[in-house]
Amino acid sequence: MSPTPAYDELTRHCQRLHRFDHLAAICGWDQAANMPPQGNQARSEALAELAGLTHRLRTDVSLPERLQQAEQEPLDDAQRANLREIRRDWFNANALPEALVQARQIATSRCEHAWRTQRPANDWAGFVENFREVLRVGREEARLLAEQSGLSKYDALMDRYEPGMRCATVDRVFGEVRQWLPGLIAQATERQRGRPLAQPVGPFPVDRQRALCEAAMRLLGFDFNAGRLDVSTHPFSGGVPEDVRLTTRYSTDEFLISLMGTIHETGHGRYEQNLPRALLGQPVAQARSMAIHESQSLSFEMQLGRSRAFVERLAPLVVQHLGPQPAFEPDNLWRLLTQVMPGRIRVDADEVTYPAHVILRYEIERPLIEGEIEAEDIPALWNAKMQELLGIDTRGDFTNGPLQDVHWPEALFGYFPCYSLGAMYAAQWFAAMRRAVPDTDARIAQGDFTPVFGWLQAHIWSQGSRWPTDELALRASGEPLNPAHFKAHLEARYLND
């Protein structure tokens, strides 16, 4: 007989959940990428049924006793880490009743599906009709999670995506960024003023863009035997480690948004594909947090993807698939990819102005969840903060304003801070890489990405959720999150390069 019967039973339970979550992930991907419009109601109901089923499994009344028994069994350190993550999943699930879990699925499916046409139509009024129910569900989740955990409402939601992170830390970090970011944006834009810049000349056929995106994914090591690239309204990474689904979006007028968006999602995908395979199906084999996940996508898109060394390898692929033109010369392509230009769209933003978009979301979303403002207050606050942070007037432009992201229609409240936290971690990872391998950039320029992928594999990908986030960062880079690396990176690239 096994000396760890309770723990073994818990691992079998987790394997079942993983398989159901696999089905939900693929159904969700299909809903966004392939499903015909009239299928949405039936798909929403099916996903709600599946969400109810997995919630019942996560809140099984026998789990507390098994967890208690497993605590007394002779587990090694890795098993204890897994038990910690199993308990965390159980704790969060038990805060929410099944009816609320299903209501969330129905509300978000309806809101997200309508948002796909409301966004291009600039239809804020129509969006709010569905969003009110999404917000109601989100606030109820926040209330119940807060009661269960003793955290504030927003902290309780953020903890689901970024375990251990609190608003006090986010306020401090974002407050510091608010102090130096406007000056950095002004200095960078002034420094770039008047520099020669050839603009790409389109049109750029979608089939050629797709081939270019897939070639970039191959260059970055994405395994197409365990994943694929498709199209959706908002780019995302989904699926499971065994079957990673990435999406992008194309416009024949320009190609860099789809290309860099694909490189971003490839960072997510490579993380998923390289999580510890021997433990797949167990919580300890999952990505540690969404800031760590975003640190992978931003390591690919920003740290690596916009470096001079990588652009030397990327430029020939662009020429191969889109044809030669002056804009595709490596130096010019690099200037295009590092052009600082305040804009309205977060996912299209350069890496200097990007944090402003995230701070804006956080400063609206937090009081929205805490009940200090209502959905109807969002446009005025959005306009005021866009003017304050980026000097842009967005009045009346809902398409490129509060309707631009899928996060609110899908009730992903508490997620947005992870983007800028991820950018900070990414800068910290590359600082550690360069300390470990001083010729990292020279090797990248030669097409040797081993210093990057080898470091990420050893320190991030293979670790899964083995360690709490602060300890993961400490083991990987010698210190917990240190935003100074992010500021130093931006200054080096945009003020000194």
Side-chain angles (χ1 to χ4, degrees):
M1 179 179 177
S2 168
T4 57
Y7 177 79
D8 293 345
E9 182 60 32
L10 288 170
T11 62
R12 287 191 289 272
H13 182 80
C14 290
Q15 286 288 352
R16 288 193 71 202
L17 280 170
H18 175 70
R19 292 174 186 129
F20 283 124
D21 289 344
H22 183 160
L23 294 176
I26 298 304
C27 284
W29 160 81
D30 180 76
Q31 188 178 36
N34 287 323
M35 186 191 72
Q38 292 186 14
N40 192 61
Q41 183 63 32
R43 180 63 55 83
S44 300
E45 291 170 358
L47 284 169
E49 192 72 38
L50 186 54
L53 172 62
T54 56
H55 184 73
R56 288 194 294 277
L57 286 173
R58 286 187 159 89
T59 56
D60 188 307
V61 294
S62 69
L63 288 176
E65 183 178 358
R66 289 180 194 156
L67 286 164
Q68 188 173 13
Q69 291 170 347
E71 289 282 1
Q72 308 306 314
E73 293 177 344
L75 306 180
D76 61 29
D77 289 346
Q79 290 171 321
R80 292 211 173 274
N82 194 38
L83 187 62
R84 178 196 69 216
E85 296 302 308
I86 295 172
R87 183 178 290 279
R88 175 178 140 71
D89 184 71
W90 170 83
F91 183 87
N92 285 333
N94 269 274
L96 307 177
E98 182 180 333
L100 184 63
V101 172
Q102 291 187 308
R104 172 196 168 101
Q105 184 65 60
I106 293 291
T108 56
S109 290
R110 180 180 296 121
C111 190
E112 189 276 336
H113 189 70
W115 164 83
R116 298 182 201 179
T117 53
Q118 289 163 345
R119 184 193 175 204
N122 202 42
D123 183 9
W124 172 256
F127 172 78
V128 168
E129 288 301 309
N130 289 322
F131 182 62
R132 288 194 189 96
E133 176 61 12
V134 173
L135 179 58
R136 184 195 71 78
V137 170
R139 285 173 168 173
E140 182 65 6
E141 284 186 324
R143 182 184 70 80
L144 293 170
L145 287 165
E147 288 178 358
Q148 175 97 334
S149 63
L151 301 173
S152 73
K153 293 176 182 176
Y154 193 81
D155 276 344
L157 291 183
M158 188 163 57
D159 191 74
R160 293 196 295 186
Y161 304 109
E162 194 57 27
M165 183 57 64
R166 301 291 178 260
C167 288
T169 300
V170 175
D171 288 343
R172 174 179 58 79
V173 170
F174 284 6
E176 292 173 1
V177 173
R178 261 184 167 274
Q179 294 299 311
W180 55 257
L181 186 63
L184 181 56
I185 293 172
Q187 286 180 274
T189 52
E190 178 60 31
R191 191 168 185 266
Q192 293 179 356
R193 195 184 311 278
R195 72 177 183 178
L197 189 65
Q199 294 295 332
V201 178
F204 306 103
V206 168
D207 60 337
R208 294 186 185 180
Q209 288 193 61
R210 180 184 178 90
L212 170 60
C213 287
E214 291 182 346
M217 291 168 70
R218 290 187 181 93
L219 179 67
L220 292 166
F222 185 80
D223 182 1
F224 278 94
N225 289 319
R228 53 181 288 140
L229 177 68
D230 291 280
V231 175
S232 66
T233 304
H234 190 95
F236 68 91
S237 172
V240 291
E242 307 94 317
D243 185 3
V244 173
R245 303 301 176 98
L246 307 184
T247 69
T248 191
R249 58 187 175 195
Y250 302 104
S251 167
T252 56
D253 295 332
E254 83 92 58
F255 74 98
L256 283 175
I257 290 175
S258 65
L259 176 59
M260 299 313 292
T262 300
I263 289 174
H264 176 102
E265 299 304 337
T266 301
H268 284 305
R270 287 224 59 195
Y271 186 19
E272 288 289 320
Q273 288 182 339
N274 287 278
L275 287 167
R277 285 280 166 165
L279 296 170
L280 283 182
Q282 298 304 309
V284 77
Q286 294 175 2
R288 174 58 206 155
S289 73
M290 292 318 301
I292 299 301
H293 228 310
E294 294 300 341
S295 81
Q296 301 311 289
S297 59
L298 295 170
S299 285
F300 275 55
E301 179 195 1
M302 300 298 189
Q303 293 290 327
L304 177 63
R306 296 174 197 263
S307 68
R308 281 187 181 272
F310 181 77
V311 173
E312 290 285 341
R313 315 309 303 177
L314 185 64
L317 288 181
V318 175
V319 171
Q320 177 185 339
H321 290 88
L322 301 182
Q325 55 175 280
F328 301 160
E329 291 297 318
D331 281 348
N332 191 80
L333 186 59
W334 179 79
R335 288 195 292 271
L336 286 169
L337 289 171
T338 55
Q339 187 175 20
V340 178
M341 184 179 297
R344 301 183 180 204
I345 301 296
R346 176 186 63 85
V347 297
D348 300 345
D350 60 86
E351 64 178 328
V352 178
T353 61
Y354 188 94
H357 293 269
V358 176
I359 291 170
L360 179 149
R361 267 42 161 230
Y362 170 68
E363 291 182 354
I364 293 176
E365 186 176 83
R366 183 180 173 188
L368 187 66
I369 289 300
E370 298 287 354
E372 298 166 10
I373 62 173
E374 297 300 329
E376 290 77 10
D377 299 319
I378 291 175
L381 285 167
W382 188 286
N383 298 335
K385 290 182 181 296
M386 281 295 287
Q387 187 69 53
E388 176 193 0
L389 289 163
L390 292 172
I392 296 175
D393 185 351
T394 60
R395 287 174 294 180
D397 185 0
F398 304 110
T399 296
N400 299 306
L403 290 181
Q404 68 180 264
D405 286 306
V406 77
H407 300 65
W408 286 345
E410 291 189 345
L412 298 178
F413 304 115
Y415 191 111
F416 275 117
C418 299
Y419 286 112
S420 278
L421 295 172
M424 293 170 186
Y425 278 122
Q428 192 164 323
W429 305 154
F430 270 73
M433 277 178 216
R434 291 185 174 107
R435 289 196 303 270
V437 185
D439 65 344
T440 290
D441 293 286
R443 290 172 64 176
I444 291 170
Q446 295 166 4
D448 177 8
F449 303 137
T450 305
V452 176
F453 300 153
W455 191 95
L456 292 174
Q457 171 67 40
H459 295 93
I460 307 297
W461 299 344
S462 65
Q463 301 305 304
S465 286
R466 175 69 175 81
W467 313 104
T469 309
D470 280 352
E471 186 169 355
L472 175 70
L474 183 65
R475 286 172 172 268
S477 66
E479 57 185 331
L481 177 65
N482 181 356
H485 293 292
F486 181 57
K487 183 182 180 185
H489 158 70
L490 294 180
E491 289 175 342
R493 179 173 286 176
Y494 294 92
L495 302 186
N496 301 323
D497 199 332

